[in-house]
Amino acid sequence: MKRILVGMLLLMLVCSANAQTGNLHTKGKNFGVQFTLHDYITADELDSKGTSFVISSKQWKKLSRMRPGIAVSYSEGLNDHFDYNVRLGYSFLEYTLSNQPFAPKTGAKSYFEADASIFMKLVSDAHKLSPFLSLGAGAAKYSVYYSAYIPTGLGLQYNFFDQAYFIAQSQYRIPVTSNAKGNLFYSFGIMANIGKN
């Protein structure tokens, strides 16, 4: 996982060094709503059994493994290839805290999260389709326990005439603190333009 993270950072640096400074197409201020999915089961299997087991078992894509949620986000362009995104999310899920042996292990509880990320777009918003890589920092609260994580991932943006954007994203949340658990995260939603830069 460290190699993937280092590779993403190097790709972001190379692309930013090659970004054109003329004819910028920078995204304005946007507000969005997303439907989210959290998958802790597949992330546990990736850590304990490996990628080949996960792919060959074909269980990773089942919705029954994922817990739904909702999020709101704010995004703004820094230049034609970089946007920053702030997201607040809520889900009702169950996860075991391995470092809290006396924590309740049954029943779902409220899960709140907040993260800030940089989206590195491979092409500018002048294009209809724009794939991107993302890297950020996040914090979560589950029951009375707080945790921190690093959201890393990739996504695809579809531009509706610079007025709205459909965003689909997939992330792996790297745990930073002992209360955090690695998980796969998916989000799908619309962002609407609320103002220019």
Side-chain angles (χ1 to χ4, degrees):
M1 186 51 63
K2 289 180 184 175
R3 285 182 268 178
I4 292 171
L5 186 58
V6 170
M8 285 177 59
L9 287 171
L10 288 174
L11 183 60
M12 290 173 82
L13 290 172
V14 168
C15 288
S16 66
N18 292 330
Q20 296 178 359
T21 56
N23 195 20
L24 296 179
H25 194 93
T26 303
K27 182 183 288 161
K29 300 172 182 174
N30 293 272
F31 179 79
V33 177
Q34 289 100 27
F35 175 72
T36 63
L37 295 167
H38 298 264
D39 183 357
Y40 289 93
I41 298 170
T42 303
D44 281 342
E45 288 178 352
L46 282 169
D47 289 340
S48 63
K49 298 178 181 176
T51 306
S52 60
F53 171 83
V54 170
I55 292 171
S56 63
S57 69
K58 298 181 183 176
Q59 300 293 311
W60 61 270
K61 55 189 172 184
K62 291 189 174 180
L63 286 176
S64 60
R65 294 177 150 229
M66 303 174 195
R67 295 298 166 250
I70 192 162
V72 294
S73 61
Y74 174 82
S75 183
E76 189 172 341
L78 298 171
N79 60 38
D80 60 340
H81 285 280
F82 287 89
D83 299 341
Y84 71 87
N85 185 76
V86 178
R87 178 179 13 226
L88 300 173
Y90 171 80
S91 187
F92 195 69
L93 52 82
E94 176 179 358
Y95 86 58
T96 304
L97 297 163
S98 58
N99 68 325
Q100 302 290 342
F102 301 108
K105 298 202 186 282
T106 58
K109 295 191 178 356
S110 291
Y111 176 84
F112 297 94
E113 64 183 5
D115 58 59
S117 296
I118 296 293
F119 291 176
M120 195 279 300
K121 297 174 292 188
L122 300 183
V123 297
S124 76
D125 290 328
H127 298 81
K128 284 288 184 195
L129 282 174
S130 176
F132 63 88
L133 301 173
S134 66
L135 180 64
K141 180 181 186 255
Y142 175 73
S143 185
V144 296
Y145 303 101
Y146 292 88
S147 60
Y149 60 90
I150 298 171
T152 62
L154 51 93
L156 185 65
Q157 169 187 282
Y158 183 82
N159 185 348
F160 293 101
F161 309 107
D162 293 333
Q163 298 303 309
Y165 302 89
F166 173 77
I167 308 272
Q169 189 175 16
S170 175
Q171 294 180 341
Y172 178 73
R173 271 52 188 308
I174 302 169
V176 174
T177 60
S178 58
N179 282 343
K181 284 190 74 167
N183 70 94
L184 300 176
F185 174 83
Y186 308 97
S187 69
F188 314 90
I190 295 285
M191 299 198 80
N193 193 309
I194 58 173
K196 300 202 180 242
N197 278 342

